[in-house]
Amino acid sequence: MQSAVPRLVLVPVAFRLALFLQAVWSTGALDAPGLWLTVVFFVVPNLLEVGWVFRRATGIRPVLAADTAYTLVTSLAAAAFAPGLLTLTWPNIMGTVMVWTLLRGAPSGAVAVLGAVLLRYGMAAVSGTSAPATWILLALVAAAATALAIVLLVAGSMRFALGLGEQRGRAAERERHRRDVHDTVLQVMESLALAAPGDALDPRGSLDQVRRTARAHALRLRLSLDGDAPAEPGGLEHRLGALAVEMTADGLRVDFVVLAKPADVPEGVVNALHDAAREALRNTLKHAKTAKAVMCLEEREGVITVSVRDHGTGFDPGARHVGFGIENSIHARMAEAGGAARIDSAPGQGTRVVLSVPLELRFPVG
């Protein structure tokens, strides 16, 4: 917001250019001597002012000082050396009043109006011309009021944008929290509830495995709530390999194949692909009625692809409601990373989940 405020100078500059053209046309000064020199001295400084604001991203004070100095110099020079073109300096004076009102508020605008009236009478004294006070004062007050209305409009727009951003931020945070609960607590509880082949052969060992799993995930959840969760080590290949080992320990054998090893994958993309692949494998474990899946990793033409394939029962994507995991833990997560997810499945033909993300992110992750 602070960097955008000086750029409000575009408004008085546009106003100056329009008013200058109107003044040239109405006064019939198209054939006046030195008109083109006046045009150059009028248009070029205004364009330089706009370029200065955008290029240097300066604060308010340099803009005010430069604009005020430019108006004073051009106005007094016209009064002293070119009284016939005195009317053409009026857009500069009104524009400076607007600049002060836009960047400093109504009190500064009132002071600028008073200063502009004094300047105009000073110009009349130097040039030996008259300056009708009524229309000068009304025109300056109108310019200040217009600038003040613009300030109020911009302030209202910023306030609306800020409120909308806060609202969307809270909604995004709620969705993230729901996703985290789904991907951690709910998934672990469901995996613990699944029957394992060793339950009948070694009940004590199965119970110990359940307890170790519960303790490990409870520790991870506690660290996450405390904000001290350590970063996952390794890159994408290492994370997916660890995921394959994790799922194998839970009863789903995962063959991990690296077709083309990617390099320099951003951490946000790594997390998104890992978590979405884990959700796909968890769905295979819970619903596919198979004990084997294949996960492939490759990079081709700047796009990283992770695919999860199983030959389980499959399902008809168009005949059933899309669950929270598919919608939020897979599709939404890929969209946040600037990628996409595709799910191919049919009854009796298994399921294939394809996750793809470009290396050059088009949207900020998260």
Side-chain angles (χ1 to χ4, degrees):
M1 293 174 63
Q2 291 179 351
S3 62
V5 167
R7 298 183 180 181
L8 291 175
V9 75
L10 284 175
V11 176
V13 167
F15 176 79
R16 280 172 173 169
L17 294 175
L19 195 60
F20 179 76
L21 294 176
Q22 189 272 338
V24 171
W25 181 267
S26 62
T27 57
L30 294 174
D31 298 327
L35 175 63
W36 294 110
L37 185 61
T38 304
V39 171
V40 171
F41 278 103
F42 182 88
V43 175
V44 172
N46 280 280
L47 296 180
L48 290 177
E49 183 176 356
V50 174
W52 184 27
V53 170
F54 275 87
R55 185 178 182 85
R56 295 177 58 87
T58 58
I60 293 176
R61 291 182 179 179
V63 175
L64 290 173
D67 191 273
T68 304
Y70 161 67
T71 299
L72 290 173
V73 170
T74 54
S75 299
L76 294 176
F81 303 107
L85 300 177
L86 199 61
T87 307
L88 301 182
T89 62
W90 188 239
N92 281 340
I93 299 174
M94 296 185 68
T96 300
V97 171
M98 294 184 68
V99 170
W100 277 91
T101 307
L102 283 170
L103 301 184
R104 286 298 189 184
S108 297
V111 175
V113 169
L114 179 59
V117 172
L118 296 178
L119 174 62
R120 189 64 180 86
Y121 273 93
M123 293 166 57
V126 173
S127 61
T129 59
S130 61
T134 303
W135 73 266
I136 286 180
L137 184 60
L138 290 177
L140 292 172
V141 170
T146 303
L148 187 59
I150 294 174
V151 170
L152 295 176
L153 179 62
V154 172
S157 301
M158 287 184 175
R159 184 174 181 180
F160 173 78
L162 181 60
L164 183 62
E166 291 179 351
Q167 180 181 359
R168 291 183 176 179
R170 288 193 294 268
E173 182 64 20
R174 286 195 298 269
E175 286 300 318
R176 187 194 65 80
H177 178 68
R178 292 176 60 201
R179 180 191 300 162
D180 290 343
V181 171
H182 174 273
D183 293 352
T184 56
V185 179
L186 183 59
Q187 291 285 19
V188 171
M189 294 179 65
E190 289 180 343
S191 66
L192 295 179
L194 293 176
D199 290 348
L201 300 177
D202 187 9
R204 185 181 297 275
S206 296
L207 180 60
D208 290 341
Q209 178 65 31
V210 168
R211 288 173 175 170
R212 287 195 298 270
T213 302
R215 283 195 296 266
H217 285 279
L219 177 60
R220 181 182 301 177
L221 182 60
R222 182 179 297 278
L223 293 175
S224 176
L225 293 176
D226 293 339
D228 298 329
E232 295 288 344
L236 179 60
E237 182 180 0
H238 176 83
R239 294 281 301 279
L240 293 179
L243 176 61
V245 174
E246 174 188 339
M247 297 305 303
T248 301
D250 290 341
L252 177 66
R253 177 185 170 185
V254 178
D255 294 335
F256 179 43
V257 180
V258 180
L259 300 179
K261 182 178 179 180
D264 298 330
V265 183
E267 183 179 357
V269 175
V270 172
N271 293 333
L273 288 172
H274 171 271
D275 294 343
R278 181 176 60 184
E279 177 63 22
L281 291 172
R282 287 289 180 185
N283 288 338
T284 298
L285 179 64
K286 291 187 295 183
H287 306 298
K289 297 181 180 180
T290 181
K292 183 178 179 180
V294 178
M295 180 169 56
C296 297
L297 168 65
E298 66 174 330
E299 177 191 350
R300 181 179 300 175
E301 297 180 354
V303 178
I304 302 177
T305 301
V306 176
S307 61
V308 177
R309 182 75 167 96
D310 69 72
H311 295 280
T313 57
F315 66 97
D316 185 0
R320 58 179 294 182
H321 174 69
V322 177
F324 182 91
I326 293 178
E327 183 67 25
N328 291 272
S329 297
I330 296 180
H331 284 295
R333 184 172 274 122
M334 288 294 97
E336 289 179 359
R342 187 181 80 249
I343 300 178
D344 301 323
S345 184
Q349 298 184 13
T351 303
R352 185 170 183 258
V353 179
V354 180
L355 313 171
S356 59
V357 180
L359 279 178
E360 293 186 1
L361 295 182
R362 291 168 292 177
F363 304 101
V365 175

